[in-house]
Amino acid sequence: QVQLVESGGGLVQAGGSLRLSCAASGGTFSNYAMGWFRQAPGKEREFVATISQSGGSTAYADSVKGRFTISRDNAKNTVYLQMNSLKPEDTSVYYCAATRRGLIPAQRMRISMYDYWGQGTQVTVSS
């Protein structure tokens, strides 16, 4: 069993940056691949980024490639999402998720592959 707690969300102007953190507890963090997803009002939850257990493999949604970077620090049981060049369309609640499944990067983009989810943190980007 793993508990995930996101932090770092807030209000930022377009073009600005934020770094989200997701702290994990209750499990062996290095056993879990991690993902970031987001959900805007009236929209379905969508994939943002994922990282393998070791941090050696990452994948991103086309909408955030070149702007967002996912990373992890297994010693701190924490995964990060560095968000640069933010756009108003990035405004969403951002969720951290974890899975112990052995997945290739394409599979790690799927919501259904994740077993544990955080409570979400709000990111608002003003124009």
Side-chain angles (χ1 to χ4, degrees):
Q1 301 296 316
V2 176
Q3 293 179 317
L4 305 172
V5 180
E6 301 97 334
S7 62
L11 175 65
V12 65
Q13 292 184 333
S17 298
L18 285 174
R19 189 178 79 159
L20 306 183
S21 298
C22 174
S25 62
T28 303
F29 184 65
S30 60
N31 288 343
Y32 293 85
M34 304 296 295
W36 285 99
F37 296 79
R38 66 188 183 185
Q39 187 169 19
K43 301 292 184 65
E44 297 294 319
R45 191 167 300 186
E46 66 177 1
F47 166 76
V48 175
T50 185
I51 189 166
S52 62
Q53 289 87 339
S54 68
S57 177
T58 60
Y60 300 89
D62 288 342
S63 59
V64 306
K65 284 181 180 177
R67 300 189 298 120
F68 291 10
T69 302
I70 188 171
S71 62
R72 67 191 295 159
D73 187 339
N74 286 351
K76 295 182 178 180
N77 292 349
T78 302
V79 63
Y80 305 95
L81 185 68
Q82 178 67 46
M83 305 186 294
N84 299 325
S85 301
L86 283 162
K87 304 174 181 179
E89 50 262 47
D90 295 319
T91 296
S92 286
V93 176
Y94 283 72
Y95 297 90
C96 173
T99 179
R100 291 191 65 187
R101 303 186 190 198
L103 306 172
I104 63 174
Q107 292 174 318
R108 292 200 297 270
M109 300 178 186
R110 300 173 183 173
I111 292 172
S112 63
M113 297 298 166
Y114 291 85
D115 303 307
Y116 304 98
W117 294 84
Q119 83 289 347
T121 185
Q122 176 71 47
V123 172
T124 302
V125 184
S126 62
S127 61

